[in-house]
Amino acid sequence: MTSLIRHITVDCTDAYRLAGFWAEALDGSLAADDLPGDPEASVTAAGSMLLFVTVPDAKSVKNRVHLDLQPQDRSRDEEVERLLALGATLVADHRRADGTGWATLADLEGNEFCVERSAAERADTASGQHV
């Protein structure tokens, strides 16, 4: 049998704080034994598990790997606004007038991630209806 990805690990300066952001962003939950100041914190969400590990070095260059989020119960633009309200920042806006494209955001520690169109928005565009 081949290996499976158990979780995606993110180095950060405050594991608990960043895990809290991602738990809210993904409608997930922190592990019951994770506390402020812990060197590690994990988030479980539908289809994924993220592990945040405190390291002494701050992020200094662009991510080589990033997450692409697809909203499940709202539009891409509504999800971008929700994530900005949680503390994310807009890094680059690749949304087009015809409704296609994505937005690149950064989490509380500057880790980039993208918000793509929802499945419903993709289906509308495929059928000729631009949302």
Side-chain angles (χ1 to χ4, degrees):
M1 177 166 190
T2 60
S3 296
L4 299 174
I5 295 174
R6 181 168 176 224
H7 40 63
I8 298 169
T9 302
V10 178
D11 290 348
C12 56
T13 59
D14 186 337
Y16 186 81
R17 178 175 174 254
L18 193 56
F21 169 84
W22 281 102
E24 284 197 54
L26 300 174
D27 194 26
S29 60
L30 285 161
D33 59 349
D34 288 335
L35 300 170
D38 284 352
E40 296 181 356
S42 61
V43 173
T44 302
S48 62
M49 185 167 176
L50 302 175
L51 176 63
F52 298 88
V53 178
T54 299
V55 298
D57 305 314
K59 180 182 177 292
S60 61
V61 296
K62 184 182 183 313
N63 299 20
R64 298 221 28 202
V65 175
H66 69 267
L67 303 177
D68 287 337
L69 305 184
Q70 183 181 47
Q72 299 300 298
D73 60 352
R74 60 183 55 95
S75 72
R76 174 201 56 212
D77 295 345
E78 291 169 332
E79 183 67 350
V80 167
E81 291 306 315
R82 186 182 78 84
L83 294 166
L84 291 172
L86 290 177
T89 56
L90 183 65
V91 173
D93 197 335
H94 304 282
R95 296 175 281 187
R96 297 184 202 85
D98 68 357
T100 60
W102 68 96
T104 302
L105 280 68
D107 68 17
L108 304 176
E109 292 199 9
N111 301 300
E112 294 95 0
F113 62 97
C114 294
V115 180
E116 299 182 352
R117 294 177 296 153
S118 68
E121 289 172 303
R122 288 178 179 277
D124 287 345
T125 301
S127 67
Q129 301 173 18
H130 295 278
V131 178

